[in-house]
Amino acid sequence: MDVVLWSLLLSTIGAASAINAATGGTAFLYGNSPVSPNQQVDWSVDVTGTVIATRSPGANSTYVGRCGRGRCILHDNGTLQMEQLRAADNGTYTVKLQAGVVVITEKVQLNVYDLLIAPLLLVSSTIRPVNGSNLSLTCHAGAQTVHSIYFYRDEELLSCSALHLSCSRFDTNLSFSPILASDSGNYTCGIENPVSSNRSTAVYVDVAVNVSEVTLRSNVTRPVVAEKEVISLICSSYGTEVTYSWMLNDLPLPDNPRYELINSNSTLVISPVSRGDEGTFTCRVSNYLNSETSGPFNLSWFPDGHIQCGAERSAGGVHLYCKWPGGNPPAVVQLMYENFSQSAFDEATMEVPSQQFSLGTKLTCSGNHAGSNDVCSLVIDAPQSAGFINDSVKTAAMGSSAFLSVTLERGQAQDTQVFPAKFSWFLLDPSPTEVVTSDKVSIIANDFSSFLIIPAMSKELSGHYMCRTENPMGSNSFTFILNVKEEEILSAGAIAGIVIGSVGAVALIALIVLLIFRDRNKTTTKQEDDQSHTLQDRVNPYQPSPRNVSYENEIPESSQESETYVQSNPSETGTYEDSSQESETYVQSNPSDTGIYEEVSAPDSGGNPYENRMPRAAHRPVAGSTDVVSPFMNTRR
């Protein structure tokens, strides 16, 4: 115990002359001068000059006054220990050290403080503070001696440097001028003196905020596809304890299974967007202070498909139009014809008088919708088939297939269109009669092509044919002459002679082969191979492999699709194989006549999948004839 005490006493040597202590506690009073055993030590109170503790060399210490009743201990090093301190113990104390005639005096100030109890934090108003108003918090410590005051928000010491705050460590008030929404939180105040500190209980300051800056936005920044895509409208604002309500065209949002409110009604999900959603959406945000409504928001969706170009005859000329409807907001459409231009929303139109209109001119349309552009062009003309030769003669063998076709011009550029046409077929001999699909004839067509197919040619189906085409701008006719060629009938004597000669030839050939084969097997094989290659080389190079073709009441949009369609329906085909097989047999039996097979190209610019390079039907051509015709051809050589 003495070692601990001496350590404490020695540690205080050189400390400041002012000593702070708590009421009811202990204070150690000491001077800065060292004390020797031969010095007399006296402690007195300056107020009265009364000695309260003394010790002479070699004698015990004595105590009177404030040090009476065992409240003090005078240690060998001159330190005075005072117990059970009271507020009355405050004051200046003097220590005197005397050895002979040498006297040393020092003064020590004793400050006795009460231990602080928790202060109260008071709010200047019992009404909930509103953002922008003024408010003060007061730290009430009562009669306590307080040296410093501090304020805390959410356990963090407040800095008094903020512009809207007024506070200091010596001021019991914390003032907000004005209070802001960010000032909401739990507040406490702390007090300190040299011997203790304490803090108040927390007070929650909840700053109410008026509704303001209500905005309505979408989760997408581009138009959507109506009836397919989902969109979310998000309402946001400043404000506390807000509620949301929605309106469409200034009326409460109707009940609709496609509408769903989520996130405390702040988000409206529309699944999917419909053209019935056209109108103005708004959201209204409210709290107990005020309400505010967002600006209007209109949904945006793309127009239908692509922009359309069109023309039609009118009483005074031609009615032109460009349209791109269905968009929201409506698309801006521009019509351009010759040197004229017209703009409008959704649809632009123009009337061209007859005297100012010419067939073969071009209409151009362009559209813009929310930054997306589209364009189309239309050639305004009656049906045309480039390179077609009227009255081209076509010859087909009896019983073989015949094929007539008309393919109209299409736009050269991807965005250029022509009018779709209606096709009608007529047999002009002996009087014009319309030809329709029957058990003898098939007619198939789309908007730009038509095909007349005769699976089995006969005399009654030969004659002068016409294909009449019509569109809104006019009509055109394309004619063909279709002939039938009968096979030559041999007499009974001629047939018998051919049979006898054939039998003799076969026997002779067999004998020669037997003799040669015995000695020259390899040579014979090589010669046979060479002969086979020679015959093969002399076959018409334009003759395609046999194929099956079938027909229905419709054909695909393009020639390539037409060929694919025909090849994939062999069950409905007129027999095209017969003529090819007969031709091949004839060529191999008559190699000298293969030169009559010429290349025949289709007359139309678009190309016809059925008008390939083909020899005519298998029959021997008539001497002097210049018409070499295949049922697949559409032109005269």
Side-chain angles (χ1 to χ4, degrees):
M1 179 67 181
D2 291 339
V3 173
V4 174
L5 179 60
W6 275 106
S7 298
L8 179 60
L9 294 177
L10 290 174
S11 66
T12 61
I13 296 176
S17 58
I19 305 299
N20 299 316
T23 302
T26 300
F28 294 92
L29 308 182
Y30 55 88
N32 293 321
S33 300
V35 177
S36 62
N38 61 342
Q39 288 179 318
Q40 180 174 328
V41 180
D42 296 316
W43 282 91
S44 60
V45 180
D46 281 357
V47 176
T48 59
T50 304
V51 175
I52 57 174
T54 184
R55 188 198 67 188
S56 299
N60 293 327
S61 300
T62 58
Y63 307 97
V64 295
R66 295 183 182 182
C67 284
R69 300 182 181 180
R71 290 187 60 209
C72 297
I73 300 175
L74 182 57
H75 297 280
D76 291 342
N77 63 355
T79 298
L80 179 63
Q81 177 180 341
M82 297 184 67
E83 305 283 350
Q84 302 174 11
L85 294 175
R86 302 185 290 262
D89 293 331
N90 276 313
T92 302
Y93 292 79
T94 301
V95 58
K96 183 175 72 172
L97 304 177
Q98 184 174 358
V101 296
V102 179
V103 177
I104 300 173
T105 60
E106 293 184 37
K107 294 185 180 298
V108 177
Q109 177 67 39
L110 174 61
N111 302 312
V112 179
Y113 297 93
D114 290 332
L115 293 175
L116 295 174
I117 62 174
L120 293 177
L121 184 59
L122 306 176
V123 184
S124 62
S125 175
T126 58
I127 300 174
R128 182 181 180 183
V130 177
N131 183 69
S133 63
N134 295 332
L135 185 73
S136 294
L137 302 180
T138 301
C139 189
H140 182 68
Q144 300 182 96
T145 301
V146 176
H147 285 201
S148 299
I149 299 174
Y150 302 96
F151 290 91
Y152 301 83
R153 181 178 63 225
D154 297 330
E155 300 299 324
E156 291 188 6
L157 182 65
L158 274 178
S159 171
C160 295
S161 61
L163 294 178
H164 70 295
L165 294 180
S166 176
C167 60
S168 76
R169 53 181 297 200
F170 307 110
D171 190 352
T172 59
N173 293 317
L174 170 63
S175 300
F176 300 88
S177 300
I179 194 167
L180 306 177
S182 58
D183 293 324
S184 292
N186 285 296
Y187 284 81
T188 57
C189 71
I191 55 176
E192 291 183 353
N193 64 20
V195 297
S196 64
S197 64
N198 215 328
R199 286 171 67 171
S200 68
T201 56
V203 173
Y204 182 66
V205 176
D206 185 14
V207 181
V209 180
N210 293 73
V211 175
S212 63
E213 299 185 32
V214 179
T215 59
L216 184 56
R217 62 180 179 86
S218 168
N219 66 323
V220 296
T221 57
R222 57 166 180 79
V224 298
V225 179
E227 316 303 336
K228 290 185 178 181
E229 292 192 77
V230 177
I231 195 172
S232 295
L233 301 183
I234 303 163
C235 186
S236 59
S237 73
Y238 290 107
T240 52
E241 300 171 7
V242 296
T243 58
Y244 299 87
S245 58
W246 292 80
M247 288 159 284
L248 177 58
N249 294 324
D250 296 326
L251 296 174
L253 188 70
D255 291 333
N256 191 313
R258 295 183 299 104
Y259 297 162
E260 181 183 5
L261 292 173
I262 61 173
N263 298 333
S264 301
N265 296 341
S266 66
T267 301
L268 171 62
V269 179
I270 304 175
S271 176
V273 172
S274 168
R275 287 184 172 84
D277 298 323
E278 186 174 5
T280 299
F281 286 85
T282 54
C283 75
R284 186 172 182 81
V285 183
S286 305
N287 64 12
Y288 80 95
L289 295 171
N290 68 319
S291 298
E292 190 172 299
T293 302
S294 71
F297 188 93
N298 294 89
L299 300 182
S300 176
W301 53 80
F302 289 110
D304 299 330
H306 292 282
I307 191 169
Q308 301 175 33
C309 303
E312 54 192 19
R313 292 285 185 181
S314 62
V318 176
H319 174 74
L320 307 179
Y321 62 87
C322 300
K323 59 182 180 179
W324 201 15
N328 189 44
V332 178
V333 177
Q334 184 179 20
L335 181 153
M336 292 165 283
Y337 177 75
E338 300 290 282
N339 296 323
F340 301 96
S341 178
Q342 182 74 32
S343 296
F345 291 111
D346 282 343
E347 182 175 3
T349 62
M350 179 182 293
E351 296 293 333
V352 182
S354 298
Q355 60 272 22
Q356 297 180 10
F357 175 75
S358 299
L359 286 175
T361 53
K362 187 176 182 180
L363 166 68
T364 300
C365 302
S366 64
N368 179 275
H369 181 266
S372 297
N373 299 305
D374 202 3
V375 64
C376 68
S377 296
L378 175 66
V379 178
I380 307 173
D381 203 353
Q384 302 293 333
S385 181
F388 188 90
I389 301 174
N390 277 319
D391 290 340
S392 57
V393 178
K394 304 183 182 296
T395 302
M398 180 74 72
S400 66
S401 57
F403 184 94
L404 305 178
S405 70
V406 174
T407 299
L408 302 179
E409 294 180 10
R410 303 289 293 269
Q412 297 299 317
Q414 185 177 3
D415 59 355
T416 301
Q417 309 165 13
V418 296
F419 286 103
K422 177 182 178 182
F423 296 83
S424 301
W425 288 86
F426 297 89
L427 179 60
L428 302 180
D429 299 327
S431 61
T433 303
E434 185 172 3
V435 180
V436 296
T437 296
S438 65
D439 57 345
K440 297 181 179 181
V441 178
S442 293
I443 295 175
I444 54 178
N446 62 16
D447 289 339
F448 303 101
S449 301
S450 184
F451 305 84
L452 184 148
I453 303 118
I454 302 174
M457 190 62 192
S458 63
K459 284 186 178 180
E460 63 177 313
L461 295 176
S462 64
H464 200 183
Y465 282 85
M466 178 181 71
C467 179
R468 180 176 177 80
T469 60
E470 298 179 81
N471 69 19
M473 292 297 106
S475 62
N476 208 343
S477 295
F478 306 92
T479 59
F480 308 81
I481 296 175
L482 179 59
N483 295 330
V484 60
K485 184 170 181 60
E486 299 184 49
E487 295 293 341
E488 184 178 354
I489 302 176
L490 300 177
S491 65
I495 294 174
I498 292 172
V499 170
I500 293 172
S502 299
V503 172
V506 169
L508 179 61
I509 292 172
L511 179 59
I512 294 172
V513 170
L514 180 62
L515 294 174
I516 295 173
F517 180 79
R518 184 175 58 184
D519 299 322
R520 302 177 60 186
N521 184 41
K522 292 184 179 180
T523 304
T524 303
T525 303
K526 182 178 186 303
Q527 288 175 347
E528 289 175 351
D529 290 341
D530 292 342
Q531 183 180 7
S532 175
H533 290 306
T534 302
L535 289 175
Q536 184 176 357
D537 293 341
R538 296 178 63 187
V539 175
N540 182 7
Y542 302 117
Q543 179 177 345
S545 301
R547 60 179 178 178
N548 295 328
V549 184
S550 62
Y551 313 97
E552 290 187 357
N553 292 329
E554 295 187 27
I555 64 172
E557 288 291 336
S558 67
S559 296
Q560 184 177 0
E561 292 172 352
S562 300
E563 183 172 1
T564 302
Y565 171 83
V566 171
Q567 291 178 346
S568 63
N569 293 272
S571 61
E572 302 180 17
T573 182
T575 306
Y576 292 106
E577 293 183 349
D578 297 341
S579 61
S580 299
Q581 293 170 349
E582 291 171 7
S583 298
E584 184 175 0
T585 303
Y586 177 82
V587 170
Q588 293 177 349
S589 302
N590 300 273
S592 62
D593 294 336
T594 58
I596 66 171
Y597 292 87
E598 300 178 335
E599 179 184 351
V600 181
S601 301
D604 53 282
S605 61
N608 190 325
Y610 305 109
E611 298 178 15
N612 297 315
R613 297 172 175 174
M614 281 285 292
R616 63 181 174 83
H619 65 278
R620 189 177 182 84
V622 179
S625 172
T626 60
D627 294 332
V628 181
V629 182
S630 165
F632 294 94
M633 300 179 186
N634 193 25
T635 185
R636 183 175 183 179
R637 297 287 294 185

